[in-house]
Amino acid sequence: MVINVSIVDEVGYYVVNNCRIIQLSSGRLVMPTALHGFANGRLEPGKVIVYISDDLGITWRRGRSVLDLETRGSRVNFMEPGVVEVSTNRLWMVIRTKLGCRYFSESTDLGETWATPEPSGLVSPESPATVARIPSPGDLLVVWNDPGT
């Protein structure tokens, strides 16, 4: 059986990488998404939004945070966010940028709201990264392109 479900709530260019929709231990589905709007026929820098489903994907709603940051007089282009469940109620997000490093954000309410993204120590070219939890012992694993190697 195929069910068509509308998820997004505004016109734009949405980016969700492979394997980025995760199911939390609570059963909630979390879909981190980069949204690039259009202005004057061009894509705008991305902002991160999260879509949430509490009924196994039948209905979706947008989380309350929009991760959008200005630095050095221009908007940071946030792209290809990935999320992992760190512990009960706590999620961690890794975000691609053009600024030479990954940015991180954290949620302590199952993805409803997110902290202001901060630059990390993960030096990186503009390329995707993947974050996952190793089942035992529970450590986090981030796979990214390190320009120094």
Side-chain angles (χ1 to χ4, degrees):
M1 178 168 75
V2 176
I3 298 173
N4 290 321
V5 176
S6 178
I7 297 174
V8 299
D9 55 357
E10 66 182 272
V11 175
Y13 175 68
Y14 292 83
V15 180
V16 179
N17 281 21
N18 295 334
C19 299
R20 296 296 169 101
I21 301 172
I22 65 167
Q23 185 170 29
L24 307 181
S25 57
S26 67
R28 171 175 281 183
L29 296 175
V30 175
M31 182 175 70
T33 307
L35 170 58
H36 300 263
F38 293 104
N40 302 320
R42 299 182 64 158
L43 285 177
E44 296 179 322
K47 56 188 174 184
V48 172
I49 54 178
V50 173
Y51 288 94
I52 296 168
S53 175
D54 288 313
D55 57 11
L56 298 176
I58 295 169
T59 61
W60 292 83
R61 63 183 174 76
R62 190 169 164 162
R64 295 195 308 255
S65 293
V66 176
L67 303 183
D68 190 12
L69 187 64
E70 190 169 309
T71 182
R72 295 183 219 122
S74 63
R75 272 191 47 209
V76 173
N77 190 8
F78 286 144
M79 302 170 275
E80 301 174 341
V83 171
V84 66
E85 185 173 25
V86 176
S87 61
T88 304
N89 296 332
R90 188 168 163 241
L91 308 179
W92 187 66
M93 181 186 295
V94 60
I95 306 168
R96 173 183 175 179
T97 73
K98 294 181 178 184
L99 299 177
C101 71
R102 300 284 158 198
Y103 270 57
F104 295 153
S105 182
E106 183 177 37
S107 172
T108 56
D109 56 10
L110 298 172
E112 292 288 346
T113 60
W114 292 84
T116 300
E118 297 286 338
S120 74
L122 298 181
V123 176
S124 177
E126 183 188 352
S127 61
T130 297
V131 60
R133 185 174 196 82
I134 300 171
S136 180
D139 294 338
L140 297 180
L141 171 69
V142 179
V143 179
W144 82 101
N145 293 327
D146 182 348
T149 58

